[in-house]
Amino acid sequence: MTLPAIDPTITDASVRAAIERLHRAMADVANGDVRAIKALYSHGPDATSFYGWGGYERGWDGVSRRWDWAGRQFKGGRVSYQNVSTVVAGDMFFTTDIETYSDQRMAGVEGVTGWTNRVTHIFRREGGEWRLVHRHGNRLEP
């Protein structure tokens, strides 16, 4: 079964645009550029991340520092998404996706590598704009 990158039943253009912005930001992360993901994130004290490489952060300062660290690890590659579900409820929505990195170059790793994560992204409307308030990602084990 092939899943779409974005749930085709989502008709809210602002939700679709936020998901597209997320996917573009993560494509930049795969190439070591974290500016777009940091711009998409809520900068509030309740921003959180559970990272696929371990650890978690709470609050914008910690989340921001961890993204900076991640940017130094990613040296080039691609990321793609297959949407499992998207739920929109008022001023919040979340997506669950299969996130696959391919042809990835990583700091300290010889050659290219790849892996697949299962990820959840939670968004909240802040000042009329969708902001990412939480990311949970971890490896998809067979």
Side-chain angles (χ1 to χ4, degrees), residues 3 6 21 23 31 35 47-48 90 93 95 97 122 127 134 137 141:
L3 298 171
I6 298 176
R21 188 174 171 202
H23 291 178
N31 289 286
R35 291 175 296 179
T48 54
F93 80 87
T95 64
D97 297 291
I122 301 173
H134 180 73
E141 301 295 335

Side-chain angles (χ1 to χ4, degrees), residues 29-40:
V29 169
N31 289 286
D33 184 352
V34 297
R35 291 175 296 179
I37 194 66
K38 288 174 66 172
L40 180 59

Side-chain angles (χ1 to χ4, degrees), residues 1-21:
M1 169 189 209
T2 301
L3 298 171
I6 298 176
D7 183 340
T9 66
I10 300 300
T11 58
D12 184 322
S14 70
V15 169
R16 292 183 71 78
I19 296 168
E20 290 168 359
R21 188 174 171 202

